[in-house]
Amino acid sequence: MNALKQQYENDGYLIFRDAISETLAQETCDHVFWLLDHHPDTRPEQLHHNMLVIEPLIWRLAGDERLLDIAAQFIGDEVALFAAHYIAKAPKTGQKVLWHQDGSYWPLEPMEVVTLWLAATPSTPENGCMRIIPGTHHEKLISWEELRKHDDGDNVLGSGLDPKSIDESQALDLVLQPGDVSVHNPNIIHGSEPNHSDHWRIGLTLRYIPVTTKILNPDHHAILFRGKAVSGVNTYTPRPQYDPKIHFPFAGSHHF
C-alpha cells in the first residue's frame, strides 16, 4: 500500500491541491448561479443529483480525467458516478450541515464509495468549510433510522448524529482554494457551520463507486465513466447532448 492510500486508511480523508484549474473552478461557480436563476425556488444548498445529471457540464466535470484518476486510487479502475450535489452557501444565509456520516443516507451495497469535494470558491472557517473528525471512519455506520431528526429548517440535511456523541475538540477545518479537492470516506463524521461571511462558499460533491457496487434504487441515474457495466448490478443513464437553448454554456460544450 502506498503512503497516500495508507494515510487515507488511517485518517479517512485526504486533500489534493490544484486538482483542476481555477478557470474550470470559476466555470463551476458560474454554473451554480445559472442553475439558481433557472430554479429560483431552490435553495443554493439543494442543487441535487437529478437536477445535475442532465447537465453536460456535470459530465465534463465529473468525467475529468484528473478527478477520475484520484477516485480510482480508492475504488479501482472501473469508475461510475453515483451522485453529484452542489452545496452552495450564500453570504450570511448559507446553512450549516449537522454532524453525520454520508453512508447513512445512501442505498449502496456494498458501501464501497469515495467522495471528492471540489472547491469552486475558497472554503474557509468563516464561510462554512467542511469540518471532519479524523479517524472516525473506523467507527460503525449509524443507520438513517437511528439519526436524530432536525426539522427546524436551519440545516441542509434535516438530520444528524447526536451532538452529545461528538468530540468537537478533535474537529479539523478543511481549508481549500478553488480547484482543490478533498477526499473522504463514507463513514467519517463530518459537517460544516453556517456561512457568516460576505462571500459565497461553493463546492461540488462527486460520489464515485466501482461498477461492482449496486445502487439499490433502480430508478437512480448513475453515470459510467470507466470500465464496463456489470450485468445485473446497475444501469447507466445516457450522456445528454448539449443544447444551447436548455443547457449551461461552457468551454468545450461543442464536444457534447
Side-chain angles (χ1 to χ4, degrees):
M1 183 181 296
N2 63 39
L4 203 62
K5 187 69 178 294
Q6 185 63 60
Q7 183 181 347
Y8 179 77
E9 293 292 332
N10 290 342
D11 298 335
Y13 80 99
L14 286 171
I15 293 176
F16 291 81
R17 302 293 181 186
D18 300 316
I20 65 167
S21 68
E22 286 194 32
T23 300
L24 189 52
Q26 181 58 55
E27 209 160 35
T28 306
C29 286
D30 294 341
H31 188 215
V32 166
F33 298 134
W34 182 90
L35 286 168
L36 292 174
D37 283 343
H38 286 75
H39 302 274
D41 295 330
T42 300
R43 280 199 63 96
E45 299 91 349
Q46 301 295 341
L47 299 172
H48 282 295
H49 181 74
N50 288 347
M51 186 185 298
L52 302 187
V53 72
I54 61 174
E55 283 289 320
L57 178 63
I58 293 299
W59 288 66
R60 160 69 182 89
L61 284 168
D64 189 288
E65 294 299 323
R66 294 164 292 188
L67 301 185
L68 294 177
D69 285 346
I70 291 173
Q73 296 182 58
F74 306 100
I75 61 171
D77 294 331
E78 296 189 298
V79 180
L81 182 75
F82 161 57
H85 179 194
Y86 282 124
I87 302 183
K89 297 185 181 184
K92 301 298 185 183
T93 62
Q95 294 176 328
K96 74 183 301 181
V97 179
L98 302 178
W99 292 111
H100 69 286
Q101 298 164 295
D102 287 339
S104 300
Y105 299 88
W106 294 343
L108 299 176
E109 191 177 88
M111 191 56 66
E112 293 181 13
V113 55
V114 66
T115 294
L116 274 61
W117 198 98
L118 170 64
T121 65
S123 186
T124 68
E126 291 74 26
N127 68 8
C129 68
M130 188 190 305
R131 308 180 74 213
I132 61 105
I133 302 182
T136 51
H137 62 299
H138 296 300
E139 299 179 11
K140 73 169 187 172
L141 187 65
I142 302 299
S143 70
W144 185 83
E145 292 79 9
E146 295 177 83
L147 293 177
R148 179 176 175 177
K149 304 302 186 293
H150 297 263
D151 298 321
D152 56 14
D154 291 332
N155 63 84
V156 175
L157 298 176
S159 61
L161 297 170
D162 184 347
K164 295 179 181 178
S165 69
I166 308 300
D167 181 2
E168 293 199 24
S169 70
Q170 301 300 310
L172 177 69
D173 293 320
L174 297 190
V175 178
L176 305 176
Q177 295 302 315
D180 291 348
V181 165
S182 65
V183 179
H184 64 266
N185 183 284
N187 282 39
I188 199 165
I189 295 173
H190 64 292
S192 63
E193 292 299 309
N195 184 356
H196 296 296
S197 79
D198 295 322
H199 306 284
W200 278 86
R201 194 224 70 171
I202 296 176
L204 173 63
T205 57
L206 298 169
R207 327 285 197 177
Y208 294 99
I209 58 174
V211 295
T212 50
T213 288
K214 185 176 180 63
I215 302 168
L216 300 181
N217 177 0
D219 297 322
H220 187 81
H221 299 285
I223 301 173
L224 179 62
F225 283 120
R226 288 183 178 174
K228 296 181 179 180
V230 176
S231 177
V233 177
N234 297 315
T235 57
Y236 298 100
T237 192
R239 190 170 82 164
Q241 183 174 356
Y242 176 74
D243 183 341
K245 296 179 181 178
I246 62 173
H247 294 132
F248 171 75
F250 60 96
S253 58
H254 61 281
H255 293 304
F256 281 81

